[in-house]
Amino acid sequence: MDQGFRNYLTVTGGYWAFTITDGAIRMLVVLYFHGLGYSPLQIAMLFLFYEFFGIVTNLVGGWLGARIGLNRCMHIGMLMQIGVLLMLTVPDAWLTVAYVMVAQAFSGIAKDLNKMSAKAGVKLFVPVQSDAKLFRWVAILTGSKNALKGAGFFIGGALLAWLEFRGALFALSTMLLLALICTWWLLPSGLGKTKMKAKFSQVFSKDPQINWLSGARFFLFGARDIWFVVGLPVFLQSVLGWTFTQVGAFLALWVIGYGFIQGVAPKIIQLSSSHAPGAKTLVVWAGMLSLLPIGIAMALQQGWDAGAVLIVGLALFGIVFAMNSATHSYLIVSWSDHDKVSMNVGFYYMANAGGRLAGTVLSGLIYQQHGLEGCLYWSAAFVLAATLASVKLERMNRFLTQAQ
């Protein structure tokens, strides 16, 4: 087997194992603490440090990966996630908002170390000038990750019903420990480590393309999390009366489908263009996405069957959002030089984490004040901002092409 392909499979497998635990923890915390009587805003605040430290980690993580190697960053992330799972097994009396926020802070650091390492690593496994292969490998990695995060939602809900909260946490920590041992054994040391010592100041991108792409990513993922993190699962459980397992299964199926669309995004885009995607692709898909949250909110306000509206609306939102996300994930890797890929990817996913942080806090706050419809209207506003950033990026690229 080709060495690059073997390394790609190893990194992908480790990323899969981590992602399952990440999705499961999210569902366990939302459902378990809602059952303990926490308000939607309090539940959102549990994830505040998770998202905030994701910003810090992506900023520092790209520099750290260039200094010590991407494989070491991945393994540090896995060890931290195992520690987080064990932290949450303490008695209920210890599970205060502050304690869980600290645990989620470590989980956020672990997740973004793992994600940055995996996605930056793909660039190193693909030969230069192999854009089609790079797009395909990035799409498969990203799509399969989201499919498995969806599986993690289901696993979290099912384990909560089957093994209860602490039993689920012990099962997940055991699985991740096995993945850590396997990747530690199979990956070469020093993966992505630069020959020249990277300076911390280099993590801030000076490339306008990277900066505008990162801005678009901020609003894109904020738009999703504004209604998806707290508002949607709480609405399904408290308003529609769904059980823990039903909520976990529904959200799992959505993320699995979303991940599948990401994985086949290269084939879908190739149907309309023989060229690799660019900024114009972002404009088209972001424009389409901006219409969907408004449509779902208006249908709910008209009194249509909420269950049917959310099932159909989420399916359409997931398809279009997946095309946006897959194109984004390809462009940040494609536009980065080999010697700067970890730092550019780190900077880019710092913006991603910032959008998720804004979306998470707003999800609890807006749902508590204005319900799910309010979350959806704010989501539409964020998508519109992402679209405008993509338009700026497309004009910039067109100018550069004409100048050449």
Side-chain angles (χ1 to χ4, degrees):
M1 183 185 296
D2 175 75
Q3 182 69 29
F5 186 55
R6 193 189 78 170
N7 289 338
Y8 171 74
L9 291 179
T10 303
V11 166
T12 302
Y15 195 30
W16 284 355
F18 187 97
T19 299
I20 288 174
T21 67
D22 190 51
I25 289 175
R26 176 64 61 113
M27 194 55 54
L28 283 169
V29 169
V30 170
L31 296 178
Y32 186 70
F33 285 91
H34 181 62
L36 292 178
Y38 283 51
S39 71
L41 182 57
Q42 285 177 313
I43 294 173
M45 294 305 291
L46 295 177
F47 297 105
L48 179 64
F49 282 178
Y50 175 92
E51 303 296 354
F52 174 77
F53 280 94
I55 299 173
V56 177
T57 304
N58 278 298
L59 185 62
V60 177
W63 168 76
L64 190 63
R67 298 274 297 193
I68 69 172
L70 296 172
N71 56 314
R72 289 185 180 176
C73 287
M74 172 182 285
H75 295 141
I76 291 170
M78 287 182 170
L79 283 170
M80 291 184 70
Q81 185 80 326
I82 292 169
V84 169
L85 289 163
L86 296 178
M87 277 183 69
L88 294 175
T89 60
V90 298
D92 282 350
W94 291 26
L95 293 175
T96 63
V97 172
Y99 182 89
V100 179
M101 286 177 71
V102 171
Q104 288 297 305
F106 286 116
S107 184
I109 295 170
K111 183 262 294 183
D112 283 295
L113 281 175
N114 197 271
K115 179 171 69 175
M116 181 279 299
S117 301
K119 293 195 175 183
V122 176
K123 180 82 171 183
L124 307 177
F125 307 145
V126 179
V128 178
Q129 302 299 324
S130 299
D131 289 345
K133 178 181 283 189
L134 180 63
F135 188 22
R136 186 168 64 252
W137 281 18
V138 170
I140 291 172
L141 176 70
T142 306
S144 61
K145 182 269 294 187
N146 284 302
L148 285 167
K149 188 166 186 176
F153 288 162
F154 173 74
I155 290 169
L159 287 177
L160 182 61
W162 180 36
L163 299 176
E164 298 186 346
F165 187 63
R166 287 161 189 81
L169 293 169
F170 281 121
L172 292 169
S173 60
T174 301
M175 180 200 71
L176 190 56
L177 178 61
L178 293 175
L180 169 62
I181 294 170
C182 290
T183 55
W184 193 299
W185 179 264
L186 293 173
L187 281 178
S189 62
L191 186 66
K193 186 177 180 180
T194 57
K195 295 179 181 179
M196 298 291 292
K197 293 296 183 181
K199 297 179 181 179
F200 183 73
S201 60
Q202 292 176 297
V203 302
F204 296 99
S205 176
K206 297 178 177 63
D207 186 339
Q209 283 186 309
I210 301 298
N211 291 333
W212 280 101
L213 186 66
S214 299
R217 183 80 174 195
F218 173 93
F219 287 107
L220 181 68
F221 274 76
R224 184 195 66 178
D225 286 1
I226 279 176
W227 68 295
F228 197 79
V229 170
V230 176
L232 181 62
V234 171
F235 181 86
L236 293 175
Q237 185 188 17
S238 61
V239 177
L240 299 187
W242 290 18
T243 65
F244 290 160
T245 304
Q246 287 174 324
V247 174
F250 176 64
L251 297 182
L253 289 174
W254 184 85
V255 179
I256 290 169
Y258 157 68
F260 174 78
I261 296 298
Q262 279 188 309
V264 300
K267 294 182 179 179
I268 297 174
I269 290 175
Q270 286 171 1
L271 294 176
S272 58
S273 174
S274 58
H275 302 288
K280 188 175 182 180
T281 313
L282 293 180
V283 175
V284 172
W285 288 106
M288 292 172 58
L289 185 67
S290 63
L291 302 175
L292 292 173
I294 295 175
I296 298 170
M298 293 178 65
L300 291 174
Q301 288 179 328
Q302 291 297 317
W304 294 12
D305 181 78
V309 167
L310 289 174
I311 290 171
V312 175
L314 267 171
L316 295 174
F317 186 90
I319 291 170
V320 182
F321 188 89
M323 297 302 299
N324 277 278
S325 180
T327 304
H328 266 266
S329 296
Y330 163 73
L331 289 178
I332 184 56
V333 177
S334 177
W335 289 350
S336 297
D337 296 330
H338 273 76
D339 60 343
K340 295 181 179 178
V341 62
S342 67
M343 288 183 285
N344 280 348
V345 169
F347 177 80
Y348 173 77
Y349 281 104
M350 176 192 71
N352 181 90
R356 289 172 57 92
L357 172 62
T360 297
V361 175
L362 288 172
S363 184
L365 181 62
I366 296 170
Y367 183 81
Q368 194 160 299
Q369 298 293 326
H370 305 289
L372 189 60
E373 293 90 344
C375 293
L376 287 161
Y377 283 122
W378 272 82
S379 174
F382 266 53
V383 180
L384 180 59
T387 305
L388 294 176
S390 301
V391 169
K392 173 67 176 179
L393 194 56
E394 194 275 332
R395 289 178 178 174
M396 185 186 306
N397 283 4
R398 190 172 18 163
F399 175 77
L400 292 173
T401 301
Q402 291 172 350
Q404 293 173 352

